[in-house]
Amino acid sequence: MLGTFACLTTLTLLGFGTEVGTTSTPWWALGLALLAAMIFCGLLNVLAERVAYRPLRRAPRLAPLISAIGVSFIFVNIGLFWQGPTPRRFPDLLPQYDFMSQFFGLHTLVRFTFKDLFVLALAIPLMLGLAWVIRNTRMGKAMRAVAQDTEMSLQMGIDVNRVISFTFLLGGVLAGAASLMYGLYNNNTVFTLGFDAGLKAFTAAVLGGIGNVSGAALGGFVLGLLSALTVTYFGGQWENVGVFSLLVIILVFKPTGLLGQALGDRA
Amino acid sequence: MALLQVEGIHTYYGNIEALKGITIRVEQGEIVTLIGSNGAGKTTTLRTIAGVLRPRQGTIRMGDVDLTKTPPNEIVRLGIAHSPEGRRIFARMSVKENLELGAYTRSDSDLTSDYERVYTLFPRIKERLKQRAGTLSGGEQQMLAIGRALMARPTLLLLDEPSMGLAPVLVELVFRTIQEINALGMTVLLVEQNAHMALSIANRGYVLQTGKIVLTDTAKALAQNEMVRKAYLGED
Ligand SMILES: Nc1ncnc2c1ncn2[C@@H]1O[C@H](COP(=O)(O)OP(=O)(O)OP(=O)(O)O)[C@@H](O)[C@H]1O
Ligand SMILES: [Mg+2]
């Protein structure tokens, strides 16, 4: 949500704040907005980790969860202060183009618009990039080591605080990119956006298997389908019922998620 | 000056005083062993040296540095590597990645000779580089834990029960390995249940009992000592 506000503010400053259905897309402005949102969200995340999670590193598990809820309240209120309580329009800057009808000449109900392509073109490289960083780089290996066994990571000489900071930076940067995609796709934003998105992201991650990037992607996909089907067949008010019933069902029957492996398989 | 000087450390788990004033000296090039029965505080001693536990009292000096004031990840950089009790390998990462993490602090880029050394010592590890470390057999995991510690090319190697869970032939191999790496100039502080083997390769030893050092001598003398023979070598 704060990411979409960062995009919105950047675009407004650049003079594209109120655009509705442009004919020429200002790619440079979108690029700047993307950069601004990535930096803003990345640094915000690092700051949140520093003040709300790091002091609780040795506390019982519930403590960081509670402070996470606190951080979320603070973010929501910053958003309320920043853009007010009513939903805001997000400029519609992408070309209005439907590949199905205009390119393939198929006049069906199914549409594949430029917006869809844009989201895919941004999300897929980012996801592959993330997976690559985690799999191959020194930092990525340190991240996985810290996730598995923090104490042993220290004894490998890994600066655990730095690695965790970096992980939060990475998460924030990706959230920043997601917020531009969300804004341009849905053309609106509201100060409670992140709360719902956060719950859904969490559900997707649990569904796919915590700690598994491809699992999270698969979880997001399944979740999206389920939510769309629920809205279509039962109506919008049932969306969250569908989504969170799924979460409960997974937690009960397969807490490790679709692709997850049992944690703690230390022999 | 000693390579490592542990001076009167008291380490607690909550209110339980696990170490009640331990003093240990390790000289450059030595193999020093800590023996003692279950719960004597051997593991606690190594963990305190490695910096994962902090003593309430006492100092641990390596050269001019007080390790009790050094973060554990910096202690590795000072040249102390720890192969901990229970192996603690990164089970969900590959064998190769475990070795890479062992070399995490190494700034010199050429690790070829270090990998070669580990592969020569443990050919089994070389055959399984791509395998998930958690799927290794217990003995293989132990080899990996030792190999991982060696990858840091430490000046002082802390080994906590390296023979645990290994078949007798492998125990032999591990102890021979310890001697070999010691001959290459690495100092070793060795904790062992297998007091007989430990004393046969060590220069000196300390006997721990409920958090205190009750005896220290050359390994040869300890192996002859009546009390040691009865309590730790299972002779009567
Ligand atoms: N995490 C812990 N919390 C509380 N007490 C502990 C903890 N770890 C060890 N202790 C206690 O500290 C004492 C020393 O334990 P330590 O593990 O150092 O023994 P040890 O000599 O390594 O034994 P072993 O030969 O069985 O490995 C024991 O009494 C043990 O119960
Ligand atoms: Mg022990």
Side-chain angles (χ1 to χ4, degrees), chain B residues 11-14 16-19 35-47 53 85 160-161 164 191-193 208 210-211:
Chain B
T11 302
Y12 288 75
Y13 292 104
I16 306 162
E17 187 178 16
L19 300 185
I35 55 180
S37 37
N38 294 119
K42 306 179 296 290
T43 297
T44 308
T45 305
L46 291 196
R47 285 162 55 84
L53 294 172
E85 185 173 56
D160 201 340
E161 309 213 13
M164 191 156 63
V191 162
E192 258 303 332
Q193 287 289 336
L208 257 78
T210 56

Side-chain angles (χ1 to χ4, degrees), chain A residues 53-198:
Chain A
Y53 305 130
R54 192 178 297 181
L56 298 174
R57 197 73 44 81
R58 285 160 189 275
R61 281 216 172 173
L62 208 51
L65 194 65
I66 292 168
S67 77
I69 296 171
V71 168
S72 154
F73 283 157
I74 294 173
F75 284 3
V76 166
N77 280 289
I78 294 175
L80 187 59
F81 181 78
W82 191 350
Q83 298 278 358
T86 48
R88 298 295 310 261
R89 269 204 66 76
F90 198 98
D92 194 1
L93 293 171
L94 292 176
Q96 312 287 315
Y97 189 85
D98 178 23
F99 288 92
M100 284 305 200
S101 58
Q102 285 166 272
F103 188 79
F104 294 110
L106 298 168
H107 295 279
T108 63
L109 282 176
V110 182
R111 291 158 60 82
F112 185 78
T113 62
F114 193 88
K115 278 181 177 178
D116 297 304
L117 180 70
F118 175 77
V119 169
L120 288 178
L122 202 53
I124 290 176
L126 284 175
M127 228 157 52
L128 292 179
L130 177 67
W132 186 86
V133 166
I134 293 177
R135 191 165 339 110
N136 295 313
T137 64
R138 182 176 140 92
M139 183 54 96
K141 286 169 191 171
M143 280 162 68
R144 282 183 287 145
V146 170
Q148 269 181 62
D149 191 338
T150 309
E151 184 187 301
M152 230 23 245
S153 303
L154 280 170
Q155 299 200 39
M156 298 291 106
I158 296 171
D159 185 341
V160 168
N161 281 333
R162 237 191 72 214
V163 170
I164 293 178
S165 270
F166 180 83
T167 311
F168 273 77
L169 180 72
L170 209 59
V173 162
L174 292 173
S179 62
L180 181 74
M181 289 189 257
Y182 183 94
L184 287 175
Y185 195 87
N186 296 298
N187 303 116
N188 64 58
T189 175
V190 64
F191 73 106
T192 53
L193 184 69
F195 201 75
D196 285 358

Side-chain angles (χ1 to χ4, degrees), chain B residues 195-217:
Chain B
H196 185 71
M197 288 293 269
L199 288 174
S200 74
I201 65 163
N203 302 97
R204 291 186 303 114
Y206 292 83
V207 180
L208 257 78
Q209 233 169 48
T210 56
K212 287 196 188 108
I213 305 262
V214 292
L215 193 61
T216 174
D217 211 329

Side-chain angles (χ1 to χ4, degrees), chain B residues 3-61:
Chain B
L3 177 69
L4 182 80
Q5 180 72 51
V6 177
E7 198 68 58
I9 53 167
H10 295 253
T11 302
Y12 288 75
Y13 292 104
N15 288 324
I16 306 162
E17 187 178 16
L19 300 185
K20 304 167 182 162
I22 297 276
T23 297
I24 292 171
R25 175 176 49 87
V26 181
E27 302 286 347
Q28 177 80 49
E30 279 189 312
I31 298 179
V32 174
T33 182
L34 297 181
I35 55 180
S37 37
N38 294 119
K42 306 179 296 290
T43 297
T44 308
T45 305
L46 291 196
R47 285 162 55 84
T48 309
I49 295 170
V52 230
L53 294 172
R54 295 296 184 186
R56 281 205 198 157
Q57 268 181 58
T59 57
I60 304 171
R61 304 205 144 269

